Amino acid sequence: MTAAETLAGPVNPGSWQYRQLNARAPGLSYLSDALSALVEDGHPVMAGTADLQYSNGLARFAARYPDRFIQFGISEQNMVSAAAGIATTGMMPFVATFASFLGLLCCEQIRMDVAYSALPVRLIGHHAGIALGFYGTSHHATEDLAIMRSIAGLTVVNPADGPQLAAAIKASADHPEPIYFRIGRGQEPNVYDDLPDFRFGKAIEHETGTDLTIIACGTMVHPSREAVRALRASGLSVGLIDMHTIKPLDREAVLAAAERSRIILTVEEHNILGGLGGAVAEVMAEAGTKAVLIRHGIRDEYSLIAPPTHLYRHYQLDAAGIETVVHDILS
């Protein structure tokens, strides 16, 4: 049996593996489908992963295009360096593994082999934040945004859901710089029904408000949207911005919100130091805005070990928790 046949089996729609994976994580299809669309449009795409093709959905891509897929095994640093080498041949490599391994373990390879060389490598860190809650601290990625946005020449994107990831991947076809994509685990509810209009560095404004504006990224956009709906229904003027690109940050969107609202609240599945909250703080401080900034996320600690749903509730990163945080701030 060939490698392609081995990979094709479990992703057959009639197999129990396929049904189980897609029932538990319907968002896994977006990555493979978006990469397949680039191949069909004639882009020199290749994909690779570190023994996680069933965790990130790349098994679908591997079954469709086995000659464009590399299984690197559990050797993440080698994968990143190899991707840099592949990029020098004119190909556009997309490599994926857990965000905790990609953003922390592979930091040196990303800095020196990819970003310093300005190669068009696309780095996909999945199961970011506390999505692998019960796997322990080694699998939690609550520092990766801070690390990645400090690397010169690296664009950092944190899509809210599968459709936005697909839109970002489509937009990346003509993007000359290396990109770090930070995504969840495929179980997040969709914020967008179809592929949204996506431009790197251009935030999406969902609501405007004068009392407070939430600036959220990634998996926190959906619960923030649900919280904003409840808050607005209670009579509060609360806005919401999807800041999908952490670097370059949409400076104009931040300053417009700070001009309009008394308070800016950043919400991220990340340490409040150095990530979205830090990036927004830098913009507001440099501009001397009058609005107050409050950062909400993991408060400079190693997150607890528990199922993700329990952790989101504990850290008030679900809709009810975010709503409570806003009420506490405004009271």
Side-chain angles (χ1 to χ4, degrees), residues 13-294:
S15 70
W16 71 266
Q17 294 100 327
Y18 181 94
R19 293 195 302 272
Q20 183 185 49
L21 282 169
N22 284 271
R24 293 175 52 209
L28 290 182
S29 63
Y30 288 99
L31 175 57
S32 278
D33 290 348
L35 296 184
S36 297
L38 290 184
V39 173
E40 291 161 9
D41 287 341
H43 295 287
V45 169
M46 67 78 55
T49 189
D51 201 30
L52 290 172
Q53 66 268 26
Y54 296 112
S55 292
N56 52 41
L58 281 177
R60 293 163 61 93
F61 181 87
R64 293 169 183 167
Y65 302 103
D67 59 332
R68 295 203 184 214
F69 177 78
I70 299 176
Q71 170 52 269
F72 288 94
I74 305 175
S75 55
E76 294 85 2
Q77 293 167 313
N78 177 60
M79 179 178 72
V80 173
S81 293
I86 291 168
T88 66
T89 69
M91 297 295 288
M92 183 183 294
F94 287 77
V95 290
T97 187
F98 290 146
S100 56
F101 301 159
L102 191 57
L104 283 76
L105 179 65
C106 302
C107 178
E108 180 180 355
Q109 287 72 29
I110 292 172
R111 178 177 182 262
M112 296 307 302
D113 297 343
V114 174
Y116 182 69
S117 302
L119 294 168
V121 175
R122 280 66 172 112
L123 306 151
I124 302 170
H126 54 87
H127 288 73
I130 50 179
L132 284 171
F134 43 78
Y135 282 83
T137 303
S138 64
H139 285 61
H140 296 172
T142 55
E143 306 91 356
D144 57 316
L145 285 179
I147 294 169
M148 293 297 102
R149 80 178 190 91
S150 69
I151 296 177
L154 183 64
T155 297
V156 180
V157 182
N158 195 182
D161 60 6
Q164 192 172 66
L165 170 63
I169 287 175
K170 181 179 180 180
S172 76
D174 300 316
H175 192 75
E177 299 176 346
I179 306 170
Y180 176 68
F181 291 96
R182 183 188 205 250
I183 61 177
R185 56 183 178 143
Q187 297 189 36
E188 301 77 27
N190 281 351
V191 174
Y192 304 99
D193 295 329
D194 301 307
L195 267 65
D197 179 35
F198 184 92
R199 284 181 287 167
F200 291 104
K202 185 63 176 177
I204 298 175
E205 188 172 71
H206 287 260
E207 301 284 356
T208 60
T210 55
D211 292 326
L212 180 146
T213 294
I214 293 176
I215 300 179
C217 63
T219 55
M220 292 297 100
V221 175
H222 185 273
S224 293
R225 185 183 66 169
E226 297 302 301
V228 166
R229 286 175 174 172
L231 292 162
R232 292 175 70 88
S234 71
L236 294 172
S237 180
V238 179
L240 174 63
I241 293 174
D242 172 3
M243 190 64 72
H244 53 69
T245 306
I246 311 301
K247 179 188 177 184
L249 196 75
D250 189 341
R251 180 183 175 87
E252 293 181 0
V254 171
L255 295 181
E259 180 69 25
R260 189 166 49 236
S261 299
R262 294 186 296 116
I263 301 169
I264 300 296
L265 174 68
T266 58
V267 181
E268 58 191 313
E269 190 179 343
H270 187 272
N271 194 317
I272 60 170
L273 302 178
L276 173 65
V280 171
E282 291 164 12
V283 170
M284 292 177 64
E286 289 172 355
T289 65
K290 295 181 180 179
V292 173
L293 171 67
I294 298 174

